[in-house]
Amino acid sequence: MIALFGTVLTEIMKAGRGFLGGGACAGRRIRVMACVLPVLLSVGQVHGAAPEKLHSRVPFDQPAQPLDKALLDFTLQTDIQIISKTSDLGGMKSRSLRGRFKPLEALVQILRGSGLKFAVAGQNTIVVGRNVHLLSSQNPEAEPSEKSGKELSEEDKDGDPKALLEEVIVTALKRVQNLQDVPVHMQVLDKDQLTQSNLNRMEDLVVLLPTVTFTQRRGYDQSNYRIRGVGTQILGAGVEPGVATFIDGVVMARGGAALNDLPDVERVEILNGPQGTLFGKNASAGSLNIITKSPNRQNAEASFSTRATNDEEYGVKFSFSGPLGATLAYRFSGSFSDWDGNVKNIITGNDVNGVTAKSLRGKLQWSARENVDVLLSADYSRQNTECCARITREDRLGLYIDPSIAGDARPGGGTADILGVPIGPMADRIAHNRDPFVISTNYGASLTANMDLGTHTLTSISAYRVWEALNSWDNDLLPINFHRQQRSERSADWATQEFRLASPTDGYFDYLLGLYFYKTATDALEYADRKYVNIDLDQIIFVQSKIENENLAFFGHVNYHPTEKLKLFGGFRVLYDQITGTARRGGRDLAPDGGVLMDHSTPEVHNSKSEIALVMKTGLQYDFTDSLNGYVTYGRGYKGRGFGVEFGFDPQRFVESEPIDAERSTSLEAGLKATYFDRRLKLVVTAYHTRIEGLQLGLRDLRGIANLLGSVPETSVRGAEIGLVGRVTHGLTLSGGIAYNNARFDDFTNGLCYLGQTEAEKCFSGAQDLSGHVLENAPRWKGVLSLRYAREIGGLGAYGYLQASYRRQSAVFLSDDADPGSIQDAYGIMDLSLGLYAEDERYHFSLFVKNLFDQKYVAGVSANSADGGGVIIHTVPRDFKRYIGMAVNVNF
């Protein structure tokens, strides 16, 4: 049957309008995956797959009861042995459990809300606890169940206790599930991975994610994530991101709202590809779900961590948690960080590109009744950054204006002589008379309630949030006061309400139904103040807008189990989406005497559109064995309309041609998830094909000097991914993945020309045919690999470790206009860390090196053109230069 499934998958990959292309395996790199799958899977069956008892459904009839009693009943019912610590279970109660479940499904439900984890440790043994890595039957506090009496293998006792592979529990489909049972390719980063990899900010996540890239622009309000090469380049307030970011189930309506220091994180779940049925209209490319830590309802705890680097970065984080009586528990956390930056401005003498950030988060959990749980959360964060330094990369058509013409007598010669700094693909200095800055504030509150209604669970999530940002930059890129001020202001607030009703999952049929309401309003101002010195002209131009969006949805997800091995499922979302925009342009050209030479003002215009759309997904999942399952899904996605309200705002276009049409996509995905070698290796293989109609695209019109919002008639994304995590041998673990992705425009005949493009380079009347060209920042290949080796140090209850992480990606265009000057060549980055931690995780000390070999690369490239000139500029990432640091984490 396994070989047959591999053959079927091969045929699927060859079907349809060339899903992943047509033809045989030979000569096609992407199709090699389908050809080797039958062999790969057959090998997996030879070596120690987990026993059938983990896969068979077992009847349960457990009331809510003390957790230690529930685990004992679990052992008696399944004949699977549980190893746990009495101190981890004391005072806890389990959820009720009735129906037929696979053992791991049942354990997920029994432990739900306890904060405990579990790992399969041998053929019929499961370890349960807060730190499951530390438990073995040799531990004097470990108390196996009545039928246990079984020790972990000698290899499990030896080496790094963290080498035991936990079962990863996720909420990706709005239910608590084991990661291996979720029929979608997703990646999960838990708090241990974030700590061990010394990841500090949201933008850092891409170093461990082969399917995700991050493009950095002039400020956080324009920077964006891309998943599988797809994401919306946000130029103005009238369009939402294509990758949705959620924190504790609440969407961040603006892309920049989530770009901050990582909060008090439990885990991050990354879902690849369209996820609109459960996550809404702005998850057309995928979603990033951040789950923060919950209050500890059993014991008081505290943590403190600090971090410092050799390039002037300092940071601290703290948290406190514990019970407040029998029914209340709290958690309070905060952070502060400061980094000067890695770009020198020779005019002001300052280091720029850095950030100063602070945040506070509080949670109060109330167990109102045995069947009612309420969580109140509130948070506040503020960032003062010198982001993002725009560095001159290439002087293609001449500087905006020669400084000598503008009245600033500087040496003549080339651009580098005029600016006083080198320019080039890896330049890292600027000569601006003003430093860039972004000041952003993000705060809000949410109320989450879960109520057990007998066999069903009702969930409500209510939230209100505000995000504000002020961004200022030196648009002339010169050491003179030509552009005296250019700034962007954003102020967004949004309210969301979600209701979900989840049925039990113990029968042939289960479902989840929900209602969702979302309303947001964004006020924006784009402002420029220019001074033409020798021609006695002052110019002020601004665009002011207000964009409102309202979304109502009814959604659901249904699973049908005709047999124990086969699951058929489907999801839908019927939504009503309305977008309303109001905008005007203002400004004047002023003579020296104050007279108005030209009035740029236009009357305020208004436009509104609404529509009803259907998002859906359907598929099947089949458990070939208890260690191998496969799935196939087909879906249709949707991303709402948008307005263009940046510089170059055109009132006529706003009324007659906008909002631009919604994105609509169809996607096909097939995947395999397997565990091998007594669950020491977990492997995921996925192939996919997505077609997008009306891909929303931020464009730079270099002839009209305007930022425009456009769309691409047809775009396709096809590829394959492999992810793995495993224990190699004593103390040695590995994790990583590789992604092949072919994301390109299929039909884009009216793309804008790049800066300086000529007719000989196929630019005609400002337009070019970009059909067949790849999307921005969409590497054909990207791979990530982490190796970690740890050993106990002399029986002292401490472990030392060495971790190496390497990521490499192929060359990319960092613009959507095929500009050869925007190419970032292939590069690889190596990070190292050396650390020591206590067996009971009371402390964790590490030394780390980021970008060990000092491999330079850039994070974004764009063109700037005004007043007859034109230059290419770039931004650089945090690890543009090698840096060394240390981190200390202490838990009380």
Side-chain angles (χ1 to χ4, degrees):
M1 181 175 292
I2 297 168
L4 175 61
F5 183 76
T7 304
V8 170
L9 183 59
T10 303
E11 294 304 314
I12 290 174
M13 296 171 73
K14 293 193 291 185
R17 291 179 59 185
F19 177 66
L20 301 181
C25 296
R28 297 278 186 169
R29 288 174 295 180
I30 187 64
R31 221 162 291 112
V32 170
M33 189 68 61
C35 298
V36 302
L37 279 176
V39 177
L40 176 66
L41 299 175
S42 298
V43 170
Q45 303 310 301
V46 176
H47 299 280
E52 195 67 27
K53 65 174 64 176
L54 288 176
H55 182 72
S56 302
R57 291 186 178 272
V58 178
F60 289 87
D61 187 9
Q62 291 188 13
Q65 59 183 324
L67 187 55
D68 53 356
K69 175 65 166 56
L71 293 177
L72 178 60
D73 289 349
F74 174 89
T75 293
L76 295 172
Q77 195 71 19
T78 62
D79 198 31
I80 294 174
Q81 304 150 71
I82 296 291
I83 293 178
S84 60
K85 260 182 156 182
T86 303
S87 58
D88 282 347
L89 307 182
M92 288 193 180
K93 295 192 70 174
S94 71
R95 302 292 183 107
S96 61
L97 182 68
R98 292 180 174 86
R100 293 178 59 83
F101 297 90
K102 298 176 185 178
L104 296 186
E105 293 175 344
L107 198 54
V108 166
Q109 299 304 319
I110 292 171
L111 298 177
R112 185 158 58 99
S114 68
L116 301 181
K117 302 176 181 180
F118 69 93
V120 178
Q123 295 258 323
N124 65 339
T125 304
I126 296 178
V127 179
V128 174
R130 293 196 177 277
N131 300 302
V132 300
H133 321 283
L134 306 180
L135 293 174
S136 76
S137 58
Q138 290 188 334
N139 189 322
E141 288 191 11
E143 294 190 358
S145 66
E146 217 172 79
K147 299 187 67 173
S148 176
K150 178 179 176 67
E151 296 186 354
L152 302 181
S153 69
E154 288 303 315
E155 193 170 351
D156 284 319
K157 297 173 191 175
D158 198 7
D160 183 12
K162 291 182 180 295
L164 192 62
L165 296 183
E166 291 179 357
E167 298 300 313
V168 180
I169 306 305
V170 298
T171 53
L173 300 184
K174 306 285 188 178
R175 285 186 184 271
V176 179
Q177 290 178 282
N178 190 319
L179 175 61
Q180 292 296 101
D181 295 331
V182 180
V184 64
H185 189 174
M186 61 179 295
Q187 300 150 94
V188 180
L189 303 176
D190 65 20
K191 61 181 184 296
D192 289 336
Q193 289 172 285
L194 299 175
T195 299
Q196 294 161 16
S197 301
N198 291 287
L199 304 185
N200 194 48
R201 290 185 57 84
M202 282 290 298
E203 307 94 285
D204 297 340
L205 296 177
V206 298
V207 307
L208 295 179
L209 302 173
T211 63
V212 183
T213 58
F214 180 75
T215 303
Q216 182 174 288
R217 295 297 186 188
R218 73 181 184 215
Y220 292 141
D221 56 330
Q222 289 197 334
S223 302
N224 69 308
Y225 291 103
R226 293 171 180 264
I227 296 181
R228 292 177 175 170
V230 180
T232 303
Q233 178 58 56
I234 303 168
L235 292 178
V239 63
E240 294 181 327
V243 175
T245 303
F246 294 82
I247 299 180
D248 291 333
V250 178
V251 68
M252 300 294 106
R254 308 306 306 173
L259 297 178
N260 205 327
D261 285 355
L262 285 165
D264 190 23
V265 175
E266 178 67 28
R267 69 182 182 276
V268 181
E269 302 176 357
I270 301 93
L271 281 75
N272 299 328
Q275 304 297 330
T277 55
L278 292 177
F279 291 98
K281 67 187 180 72
N282 56 352
S284 57
S287 67
L288 276 71
N289 304 325
I290 301 160
I291 296 90
T292 63
K293 295 178 182 178
S294 298
N296 188 331
R297 296 183 292 183
Q298 308 302 320
N299 304 294
E301 65 176 44
S303 68
F304 175 82
S305 64
T306 185
R307 166 186 169 109
T309 69
N310 67 325
D311 61 350
E312 306 298 322
E313 178 188 351
Y314 306 96
V316 295
K317 293 184 179 181
F318 67 87
S319 68
F320 303 93
S321 185
L324 294 172
T327 60
L328 281 176
Y330 78 97
R331 187 171 192 90
F332 182 69
S333 61
S335 67
F336 173 84
S337 65
D338 181 76
W339 175 51
D340 288 345
N342 56 2
V343 176
K344 172 67 77 174
N345 187 346
I346 67 167
I347 301 301
T348 66
N350 297 326
D351 290 326
V352 297
N353 223 37
V355 57
T356 300
K358 55 188 176 183
S359 68
L360 293 172
R361 180 178 300 272
K363 290 187 175 185
L364 186 64
Q365 190 166 23
W366 178 38
S367 298
R369 299 177 183 174
E370 185 173 293
N371 66 328
V372 179
D373 189 84
V374 179
L375 179 66
L376 175 64
S377 302
D379 64 273
Y380 172 89
S381 65
R382 182 178 176 85
Q383 295 187 100
N384 295 322
T385 79
E386 297 85 37
C387 178
C388 300
R390 305 190 305 159
I391 304 162
T392 303
R393 179 182 182 91
E394 179 185 349
D395 181 6
R396 186 167 294 175
L397 300 180
L399 293 171
Y400 288 162
I401 184 168
D402 190 313
S404 62
I405 298 176
D408 181 19
R410 297 178 64 83
T415 302
D417 298 314
I418 295 173
L419 295 178
V421 295
I423 66 172
M426 295 300 152
D428 62 354
R429 289 195 289 168
I430 60 176
H432 303 174
N433 61 294
R434 293 192 317 279
D435 292 331
F437 69 83
V438 180
I439 301 173
S440 64
T441 305
N442 183 19
Y443 57 91
S446 66
L447 184 68
T448 301
N450 289 285
M451 179 182 295
D452 288 338
L453 305 174
T455 58
H456 289 64
T457 301
L458 177 65
T459 299
S460 169
I461 304 177
S462 311
Y464 176 77
R465 299 203 61 83
V466 175
W467 178 70
E468 299 169 340
L470 170 62
N471 183 4
S472 178
W473 63 98
D474 189 356
N475 201 55
D476 56 45
L477 308 175
L478 295 171
I480 60 172
N481 201 24
F482 169 45
H483 281 203
R484 289 183 295 198
Q485 183 179 165
Q486 185 147 348
R487 72 177 191 269
S488 170
E489 299 179 18
R490 301 274 196 278
S491 178
D493 65 276
W494 62 97
T496 62
Q497 175 62 57
E498 180 174 358
F499 293 106
R500 297 196 306 266
L501 180 68
S503 75
T505 59
D506 57 348
Y508 291 105
F509 176 81
D510 63 80
Y511 60 87
L512 182 147
L513 298 174
L515 296 172
Y516 185 75
F517 170 77
Y518 165 87
K519 185 172 184 178
T520 182
T522 303
D523 292 286
L525 174 68
E526 309 291 338
Y527 180 90
D529 180 356
R530 301 171 179 172
K531 173 67 175 178
Y532 295 79
V533 180
N534 283 355
I535 56 177
D536 292 324
L537 174 65
D538 286 326
Q539 183 184 75
I540 296 174
I541 297 177
F542 66 86
V543 176
Q544 193 170 24
S545 64
K546 184 181 183 70
I547 306 297
E548 298 175 286
N549 182 233
E550 186 172 305
N551 184 272
L552 300 170
F554 171 56
F555 64 91
H557 187 88
V558 178
N559 296 314
Y560 173 58
H561 307 264
T563 72
E564 285 196 350
K565 291 180 176 292
L566 178 63
K567 179 173 71 175
L568 307 177
F569 57 88
F572 68 90
R573 193 179 193 95
V574 180
L575 61 89
Y576 168 82
D577 192 59
Q578 181 180 46
I579 185 170
T580 301
T582 303
R584 71 184 183 98
R585 186 176 67 221
R588 297 174 296 177
D589 290 350
L590 300 176
D593 60 3
V596 177
L597 301 177
M598 178 178 292
D599 191 343
H600 297 285
S601 301
T602 64
E604 184 175 89
V605 291
H606 176 87
N607 197 357
S608 181
K609 290 287 177 64
S610 63
E611 63 181 323
I612 296 175
L614 172 65
V615 180
M616 56 80 67
K617 177 181 283 189
T618 186
L620 64 87
Q621 184 176 22
Y622 189 79
D623 295 335
F624 296 103
T625 69
D626 53 336
S627 62
L628 171 66
N629 71 71
Y631 67 89
V632 177
T633 63
Y634 172 80
R636 294 182 179 272
Y638 171 91
K639 180 175 182 292
R641 297 169 179 259
F643 284 107
V645 287
E646 256 269 3
F647 281 113
F649 164 74
D650 183 340
Q652 183 176 358
R653 184 175 64 241
F654 184 88
V655 173
E656 297 179 359
S657 304
E658 294 183 356
I660 64 169
D661 289 338
E663 286 182 9
R664 300 180 189 275
S665 62
T666 59
S667 61
L668 179 64
E669 179 171 312
L672 294 162
K673 296 189 174 186
T675 56
Y676 298 137
F677 311 113
D678 291 331
R679 306 184 77 87
R680 294 175 186 275
L681 174 66
K682 297 181 181 181
L683 179 69
V684 180
V685 180
T686 309
Y688 58 88
H689 183 194
T690 301
R691 301 188 67 85
I692 306 171
E693 296 181 2
L695 176 69
Q696 295 171 0
L697 203 63
L699 305 171
R700 177 70 170 161
D701 181 359
L702 299 171
R703 300 202 319 165
I705 316 302
N707 294 328
L708 307 176
L709 180 62
S711 63
V712 181
E714 290 187 17
T715 303
S716 67
V717 183
R718 58 188 77 180
E721 301 153 356
I722 299 176
L724 61 87
V725 58
R727 177 178 182 180
V728 181
T729 183
H730 307 285
L732 179 62
T733 57
L734 64 85
S735 63
I738 187 169
Y740 171 86
N741 188 58
N742 186 357
R744 61 181 61 249
F745 304 124
D746 291 335
D747 178 11
F748 193 16
T749 58
N750 63 336
L752 295 179
C753 296
Y754 58 80
L755 181 67
Q757 189 175 1
T758 65
E759 287 191 3
E761 296 166 315
K762 299 184 179 180
C763 172
F764 304 99
S765 301
Q768 62 171 320
D769 185 355
L770 287 172
S771 302
H773 190 263
V774 297
L775 271 63
E776 174 186 339
N777 204 2
R780 184 69 62 90
W781 291 96
K782 183 181 178 184
V784 175
L785 180 65
S786 293
L787 290 172
R788 188 173 189 274
Y789 183 75
R791 298 292 292 179
E792 187 175 6
I793 300 177
L796 299 177
Y799 288 81
Y801 71 89
L802 174 66
Q803 178 170 308
S805 298
Y806 182 74
R807 70 185 191 274
R808 185 169 183 84
Q809 70 172 54
S810 57
V812 294
F813 281 87
L814 290 175
S815 70
D816 280 317
D817 55 12
D819 189 338
S822 73
I823 295 176
Q824 167 60 59
D825 292 333
Y827 65 90
I829 303 293
M830 173 73 80
D831 298 331
L832 286 181
S833 59
L834 177 68
L836 177 74
Y837 64 91
E839 186 177 50
D840 59 3
E841 299 192 341
R842 290 287 183 178
Y843 61 84
H844 186 149
F845 172 78
S846 66
L847 297 172
F848 60 88
V849 182
K850 295 291 186 179
N851 194 357
L852 176 66
F853 300 114
D854 207 23
Q855 171 71 64
K856 301 292 193 297
Y857 71 103
V858 300
V861 175
S862 59
N864 235 17
S865 177
D867 308 297
V871 296
I872 306 298
I873 56 179
H874 67 240
T875 59
V876 299
R878 171 66 179 95
D879 61 352
F880 178 74
K881 302 173 184 177
R882 176 178 52 234
Y883 64 96
I884 302 170
M886 73 172 189
V888 178
N889 300 272
V890 182
N891 298 307
F892 304 96

